[in-house]
């Protein structure tokens, strides 16, 4: 006769949804136990797609750390960086890619750089409060609130010319991110803005809305 105590333990069918639901492994450190979830039980997370933002001290160093090193290098070359680091400024800094596509022929490099710089600090949430902002270049850069309302993007650049400045759209680039600095803020642009000369009317005077510094704003 067979000994009932030597019989193998009974087996039970495993449920397809609970079989191997958890794999338990003992850690070599003390009695700590780690529980590993199977891949099918872990919800796959979508990767976050956002630009890297680095606050790196003053506005010039912040430009260098956020993809606008070409702007910073040119500012240092013409002596603009000393001015920017000595006060509080808002910089509309084009990316290195934007400068790579930019043709500066016939333009003054210091004028182009100064056209992207504004005294004082204007946070991103306040940009659209100022349709025209005086720059270090001596003329005003335009903020297109129409693109912000229609597309959710802020376009910054030279103002439209003619018909009281209402014709056309701002010529420059869109703000793709904003980075706080110790002495201001850097708004990174995907394009380069250039100051434009006033249009001359038939009577020899400036066309309405195109005279440097004309119009409202900050």
């Amino acid at each position: 006769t067979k000994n009932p105590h030597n019989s193998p333990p009974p087996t039970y069918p495993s449920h397809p949804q609970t079989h191997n639901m958890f794999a338990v492994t003992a850690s070599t450190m003390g009695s700590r136990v780690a529980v590993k979830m199977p891949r099918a039980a872990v919800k796959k997370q979508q990767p976050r797609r956002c630009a890297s933002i680095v606050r790196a001290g003053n506005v010039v160093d912040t430009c260098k750390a956020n993809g606008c090193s070409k702007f910073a290098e040119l500012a240092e070359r013409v002596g603009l960086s000393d001015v920017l680091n000595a006060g509080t400024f808002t910089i509309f800094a084009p990316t290195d890619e934007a400068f790579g596509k930019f043709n500066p022929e016939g333009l003054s490099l210091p004028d182009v750089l100064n056209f992207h710089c504004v005294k004082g600090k204007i946070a991103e949430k306040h940009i659209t409060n100022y349709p025209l902002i005086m720059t270090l270049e001596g003329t005003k850069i335009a903020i297109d609130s129409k693109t912000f309302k229609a597309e959710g993007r802020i376009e910054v650049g030279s103002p439209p010319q003619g018909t009281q400045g209402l014709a056309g759209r701002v010529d420059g680039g869109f703000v793709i991110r904003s980075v706080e600095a110790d002495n201001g803020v850097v708004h990174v642009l995907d394009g380069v803005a250039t100051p434009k000369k006033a249009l001359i009317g038939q009577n020899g005077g400036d066309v309405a809305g195109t005279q440097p510094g004309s119009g409202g704003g900050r």
Side-chain angles (χ1 to χ4, degrees):
T1 61
K2 295 182 179 180
N3 187 349
H5 298 287
N6 293 331
S7 300
T11 58
Y12 301 94
S14 60
H15 194 282
Q17 295 182 350
T18 59
H19 178 63
N20 199 27
M21 190 65 179
F22 298 90
V24 182
T25 59
S27 171
T28 57
M29 298 178 61
S31 59
R32 189 177 299 172
V33 176
V35 179
K36 296 182 179 180
M37 295 288 292
R39 293 182 179 179
V42 179
K43 184 178 180 181
K44 185 178 181 181
Q45 295 183 350
Q46 296 296 328
R48 296 181 62 187
R49 297 181 179 179
C50 60
S52 176
I53 296 178
V54 180
R55 180 168 178 167
N58 60 50
V59 288
V60 175
D61 288 341
T62 299
C63 286
K64 293 179 181 179
N66 289 275
C68 304
S69 58
K70 186 65 175 178
F71 177 87
E73 291 170 4
L74 293 175
E76 291 174 343
R77 183 187 303 178
V78 301
L80 176 60
S81 60
D82 294 336
V83 175
L84 298 178
N85 290 335
T88 301
F89 290 92
T90 296
I91 312 298
F92 297 101
T95 63
D96 294 339
E97 183 180 359
F99 260 118
K101 300 176 182 178
F102 176 64
N103 181 11
E105 185 177 355
L107 298 171
S108 164
L109 177 59
D111 285 350
V112 172
L113 297 175
N114 279 294
F115 190 60
H116 292 80
C117 304
V118 175
K119 287 184 178 181
K121 179 180 178 180
I122 305 177
E124 183 179 17
K125 63 181 179 180
H126 295 145
I127 294 178
T128 54
N129 294 341
Y130 306 102
L132 290 169
I133 309 173
M134 181 61 71
T135 68
L136 295 185
E137 183 267 338
T139 60
K140 294 184 178 182
I141 197 167
I143 311 298
D144 196 341
S145 59
K146 295 189 297 293
T147 59
F148 178 69
K149 293 178 180 178
E151 307 172 21
R153 301 188 298 170
I154 302 174
E155 190 169 17
V156 180
S158 56
Q161 293 186 316
T163 319
Q164 299 288 343
L166 299 177
R169 65 183 294 170
V170 169
D171 182 16
F174 289 97
V175 176
I176 57 178
R177 61 183 175 275
S178 298
V179 189
E180 296 279 336
D182 289 346
N183 64 323
V185 61
V186 175
H187 303 297
V188 180
L189 302 182
D190 63 0
V192 180
T194 57
K196 288 182 171 56
K197 294 181 180 179
L199 298 177
I200 305 300
Q202 293 180 350
N203 61 355
D206 294 318
V207 173
T210 66
Q211 184 179 6
S214 65
R218 187 175 184 275

